[in-house]
Amino acid sequence: MKEFIPSAYSKQVESGAVGWQSPSNIALVKYWGKRDPQLPENPSISFTLDACRTKTIMHYSPKIYPGNSLSFDVYFEGEKNEAFKPKIAKFFERIEQYCPFVRDFHFKIETENTFPHSSGIASSASGMSALALCLMSIESELVDSMQDDFFKKKASFLARLGSGSACRSIEGDLIVWGEHDNIKGSNDFYGIQYPDEVHPNFKNYHDTILLIDKGEKQVSSTVGHNLMHGHPFAKNRFLQAHENLSKLQAVLKEGDIEGFIKIMESEALTLHGMMMTSSPYFILMKPNTLKVINKIWNFRNETGLPVGFTLDAGANVHILYPENDSVRIFQFIKDQLVEYCQNGHYICDRIGKGASQLKVKS
Ligand code: PMV
């Protein structure tokens, strides 16, 4: 996208520091399957979360030994971390035509998550979007002026190149990524705020995340996405995502929570259905994932309360429910579901407003 390739920078900066905290997000219509360069095979839509965040501070200074190599150190929760470096190096390489200054500076990247380390919660969306926002803050110091709208668009565009779903973590509270005929402005390159009407029923929606399994996933999402190439059901799945997004538009407008739950749960099970029918096939759900799902269905049938679930690429269960019924539904979660969580751990989150800038001393 030429729009994001800068002409020569007008200013020079010496050293400084910038910081952002950026949230995770949970997809309602899932992105699963991509083509180069990190473009989705179907459109997706997500709720931006609030409590699950990554905080990143990026110190920058001119490189001591000028040259073409990348120069950066990463600190995770205060400790130097070598394990994150290859992923960040790959990200810098992917974005360097859009941010050529990445080879001019040495960076010290300090990062931490608000959610517990190794909770099975993917930190790639929050982590990559925080990093992209820091780079945009540096870029905005290298040019005379930058419009806020451009800043956010390019941050989402860069975040996408780090991890696809990260492009949906810049703003709140409902974000669409991927071209869809009925959603104005939707495109494959960056996320946009859902432009159409949303009923107040969906304001302040809750997401309680049950940590069913905190272990490392056996199959990464990169491998999973790639298995959609040549997948026997891929073509229909991509069409279905378009249809589900159209159906969701009506549901969001009318405040139809029952319809919302149907689409969301079907999307979650279809995502895992794609995994189970890939070649090679794999299963990321655990026995307790299924126990929780059945408990939710029983409770919903017995009480009529509007509680539903979704899953990301793992065993954890996201339980989504509206503000109005939150007291009774949260009581049910505590009474009947927490026992299925590893060490009884869960996270109370809700729909959020997007990333925010941190005040940092350089
Ligand atoms: O952003 P990635 O490559 O980690 O893919 C994430 C895919 C899902 O979380 C399973 C679905 C989605 O749309 O977020």
Side-chain angles (χ1 to χ4, degrees):
M1 276 213 118
K2 288 215 175 70
E3 179 186 355
F4 298 126
I5 298 178
S7 40
Y9 293 123
S10 50
K11 288 188 179 168
Q12 273 206 324
V13 292
E14 280 303 310
S15 52
V18 292
W20 280 86
Q21 51 169 321
S22 192
S24 184
N25 68 74
I26 183 69
L28 306 167
V29 172
K30 308 289 184 182
Y31 147 61
W32 198 243
K34 64 177 172 184
R35 57 187 201 281
D36 271 345
Q38 198 97 300
L39 297 168
E41 292 283 15
N42 66 261
S44 58
I45 186 167
S46 54
F47 271 156
T48 305
L49 295 180
D50 187 42
C52 292
R53 286 172 174 264
T54 298
K55 294 181 185 175
T56 299
I57 294 176
M58 210 168 180
H59 302 263
Y60 55 95
S61 50
K63 280 201 299 202
I64 302 173
Y65 305 107
N68 220 15
S69 60
L70 290 167
S71 173
F72 68 95
D73 289 315
V74 186
Y75 290 77
F76 180 61
E77 290 174 352
E79 305 227 332
K80 204 163 186 180
N81 185 302
E82 297 298 325
F84 287 166
K85 282 188 88 171
K87 208 168 175 195
I88 296 177
K90 199 166 160 200
F91 173 58
F92 280 172
E93 279 158 17
R94 272 200 196 150
I95 61 155
E96 72 166 300
Q97 60 168 314
Y98 305 104
C99 296
F101 66 87
V102 289
R103 293 199 188 264
D104 297 338
F105 292 103
H106 171 76
F107 300 101
K108 180 183 173 194
I109 302 165
E110 295 176 302
T111 184
E112 60 187 47
N113 295 330
T114 56
F115 46 92
H117 182 43
S118 71
S119 55
I121 302 254
S123 56
S124 60
S126 53
M128 282 298 171
S129 53
L131 209 52
L133 285 157
C134 287
L135 291 168
M136 284 313 294
S137 282
I138 298 174
E139 183 165 277
S140 68
E141 290 176 25
L142 292 165
V143 297
D144 282 328
S145 71
M146 190 183 281
Q147 299 286 327
D148 194 42
D149 185 50
F150 177 85
F151 183 102
K152 284 181 191 152
K153 262 197 218 171
K154 185 165 172 183
S156 173
F157 174 86
L158 297 176
R160 185 201 97 232
L161 291 167
S163 170
S165 59
C167 77
R168 299 188 312 236
S169 275
I170 306 295
E171 294 181 277
D173 44 5
L174 261 172
I175 305 292
V176 178
W177 169 43
E179 192 177 342
H180 185 275
D181 283 347
N182 302 341
I183 302 179
K184 205 169 161 232
S186 60
N187 71 87
D188 289 351
F189 302 96
Y190 51 85
I192 60 158
Q193 282 183 311
Y194 179 66
D196 299 334
E197 202 180 324
V198 179
H199 191 280
N201 279 354
F202 297 105
K203 295 283 165 215
N204 274 332
Y205 228 72
H206 289 249
D207 179 4
T208 301
I209 310 165
L210 301 187
L211 305 179
I212 304 289
D213 187 71
K214 302 187 196 173
E216 183 98 353
K217 281 187 291 197
Q218 288 125 340
V219 181
S220 70
S221 44
T222 308
V223 171
H225 284 293
N226 282 334
L227 292 175
M228 289 301 278
H229 293 295
H231 189 296
F233 308 140
K235 210 167 141 222
N236 282 339
R237 160 59 199 154
F238 302 144
L239 284 176
Q240 181 201 38
H242 281 266
E243 283 160 16
N244 278 344
L245 201 39
S246 297
K247 287 185 195 158
L248 195 63
Q249 281 184 289
V251 157
L252 290 172
K253 189 173 169 192
E254 285 150 22
D256 172 10
I257 298 184
E258 213 177 294
F260 176 80
I261 291 173
K262 266 194 198 146
I263 296 168
M264 172 177 77
E265 292 189 347
S266 164
E267 277 287 320
L269 295 178
T270 302
L271 168 70
H272 285 258
M274 289 298 116
M275 297 172 186
M276 289 191 256
T277 48
S278 294
S279 177
Y281 45 79
F282 59 104
I283 302 180
L284 296 182
M285 291 186 287
K286 297 284 179 196
N288 279 355
T289 311
L290 297 180
K291 285 192 185 136
V292 164
I293 291 174
N294 277 300
K295 285 265 178 182
I296 293 172
W297 285 344
N298 288 341
F299 177 79
R300 194 163 76 217
N301 284 339
E302 282 162 16
T303 62
L305 287 170
V307 54
F309 72 88
T310 188
L311 307 166
D312 56 17
N316 295 333
V317 184
H318 289 249
I319 306 183
L320 275 81
Y321 48 100
E323 172 80 2
N324 276 349
D325 296 295
S326 60
V327 174
R328 282 175 69 192
I329 293 173
F330 186 54
Q331 195 60 47
F332 153 68
I333 293 172
K334 283 193 289 189
D335 293 346
Q336 294 195 45
L337 302 184
V338 169
E339 63 189 278
Y340 299 106
C341 299
Q342 204 174 340
N343 307 324
H345 288 168
Y346 62 92
I347 297 172
C348 291
D349 211 334
R350 59 169 69 208
I351 191 167
K353 298 207 181 322
S356 54
Q357 191 159 13
L358 299 169
K359 283 206 172 79
V360 280
K361 287 186 236 127
S362 8

